[in-house]
Amino acid sequence: MTPENRPDRLCPDGGTENVNEAVAAEWVDDTTPFERVYEVLRRRYDPESAAEIAARARVSATTARKHLRTLVDSGEATTAQEGQTTLYRRSETAIVTEHAQALLDEQTPEQIATGIAEMKARIREWRKEYDVDSPEAFARELAVVDADSDHGAVLTEWQTTRRNLALAEAALAIGEASRSGHLSGSDTDSDTSARA
Amino acid sequence: MTADDAETPREVFGPIDASALRTIRDLIVDLEPLVESATLDDPLNPRTLSVGLADGVGAASTARLDVRWSLQGNYAAHYTDDADRNFRFDCHPKPEAPRRHFHPPPDAPSRPVEPSCISVSEVALVTRAVVQQWRIAYKRGGFDGLNDAENPP
């Protein structure tokens, strides 16, 4: 029923085009199988089988398995075993590395440190205002069920800030370790003299 | 499953996925020629990607698309323009509503909502679908059929 993956999908019979089918065909046209498997893996925080990832990425299970093995070898993916089935998700290291790179490209260490202090202050304010320790306790106590409500928005913001705080702290540590030169063995004079 | 379980979903929307917002930003800039700006609200603690458009649907002369995406794959894509019209393609648990739902124009009220025409799940696909639906409304100069999956080619 779906026409071939041509960039100009014409419907000479005057039929209609389904948006969900059209965007899937476009994605397949615009990307390689590896790119799609990698993109799907990058959003997997809960482990999934190669077959599930293959269906999402519009590739065969064999292709998905091959690319997932490459991603495990490069540290992007991590695996868990469920009976006979291998489950894949994005590794924490990859999550932290990507976020740190994005932050360190745009922000100075001082700006990151200031941002960390602000996020900590935000979290302290929520704890005080609602008299609970965590966003989970907040959701329970206030029976938050609708993301479209005001309390739903606070819940999302609190959970988001907590995660971004952890990522910013990791980014700052990576930035400091990189600048020291110890990681690559290119230790600078200024560093040794600072220690002396 | 008990009534208690039904009333306390594991997650409501979930924490915003900063990496997903950056991916969506880069993709929308590639896909949509009318994009004037595409920025995260806070580089260290991003919650929303805001995409400024150089034109709006019909009478509107500018518009903005605000996008949120969570670790659980929940999302909200909110169109608003300078003629004060709004609509939203959402996907998140919502009491007495389908997970994938549409807040219709002109006001995009919290309730009632309609089932969304967007049934795909991946970032690359949802982003393309939202851009495509906006494009259809933009070309037609109105919001009729905005939430229809089937469109004349």
Side-chain angles (χ1 to χ4, degrees), chain A residues 9 11 14-20 22-24 26-27 30-31 39-40 42-46 56-58 90 98-99 102-103 106-107 111-112 114-116 118-119 122 144-149 152 155-157 159-161 163-164 167-168, chain B residues 7-10 12-20 22-23 25 27 31 42-47 68-72 88 90 92-95 101 103 110-111 117-125 128-129 132-133 148-153:
Chain A
R9 280 178 301 276
C11 300
T16 58
E17 186 186 74
N18 180 285
V19 60
N20 298 296
V23 295
E26 198 181 287
W27 189 36
D30 289 354
T31 53
E39 198 170 330
V40 167
R42 286 179 63 202
R43 302 272 78 80
R44 302 273 66 78
Y45 299 98
D46 287 326
R56 291 178 181 277
R58 274 76 175 167
R90 192 154 198 220
E98 185 207 302
H99 195 89
L103 285 194
E106 294 173 3
Q107 306 276 310
Q111 286 172 316
I112 296 175
T114 305
I116 288 173
E118 282 169 5
M119 285 188 272
R122 246 358 241 292
V144 182
V145 290
D146 190 347
D148 292 332
S149 67
L155 175 62
T156 299
E157 207 167 326
Q159 290 176 318
T160 302
T161 303
R163 178 172 191 266
N164 286 333
L167 285 168
Chain B
E7 282 160 22
T8 49
R10 196 168 65 88
V12 176
F13 193 87
I16 299 298
D17 185 343
S19 161
R22 289 190 290 263
T23 301
R25 176 191 62 192
L27 185 55
L31 291 173
D42 179 340
L44 279 157
N45 188 19
R47 282 143 288 168
R68 294 182 296 134
W69 192 286
S70 83
L71 299 189
Q72 287 77 12
R88 233 164 72 204
D90 276 20
H92 58 83
K94 186 172 172 67
H101 55 269
H103 298 263
S110 178
R111 285 170 188 288
C117 70
I118 298 177
S119 62
V120 287
S121 304
E122 309 315 311
V123 164
L125 299 178
R128 280 181 171 80
Q132 179 160 329
Q133 294 308 92
D148 293 345
E150 304 290 335
N151 287 287

Side-chain angles (χ1 to χ4, degrees), chain B residues 79-101:
Chain B
Y79 167 96
T80 184
D81 64 28
D82 62 349
D84 212 19
R85 280 109 30 110
N86 296 266
F87 66 78
R88 233 164 72 204
F89 287 104
D90 276 20
C91 174
H92 58 83
K94 186 172 172 67
E96 288 130 53
R99 179 163 182 243
R100 295 189 177 87
H101 55 269

Side-chain angles (χ1 to χ4, degrees), chain A residues 27-80:
Chain A
W27 189 36
V28 168
D29 274 353
D30 289 354
T31 53
T32 65
F34 176 79
E35 285 170 336
R36 293 197 298 284
V37 170
Y38 182 37
E39 198 170 330
V40 167
L41 173 83
R42 286 179 63 202
R43 302 272 78 80
R44 302 273 66 78
Y45 299 98
D46 287 326
E48 272 186 12
S49 70
E52 288 168 308
I53 290 171
R56 291 178 181 277
R58 274 76 175 167
V59 301
S60 72
T62 310
T63 302
R65 214 164 275 122
K66 179 181 81 178
H67 293 319
L68 286 166
R69 268 198 298 268
T70 305
L71 290 165
V72 170
D73 289 344
S74 65
E76 283 288 332
T78 185
T79 59

Side-chain angles (χ1 to χ4, degrees), chain B residues 129-150:
Chain B
V130 170
V131 168
Q132 179 160 329
Q133 294 308 92
W134 130 260
R135 274 266 135 202
I136 287 167
Y138 178 65
K139 280 186 191 150
R140 286 180 185 162
F143 298 106
D144 283 353
L146 173 62
N147 189 33
D148 293 345
E150 304 290 335

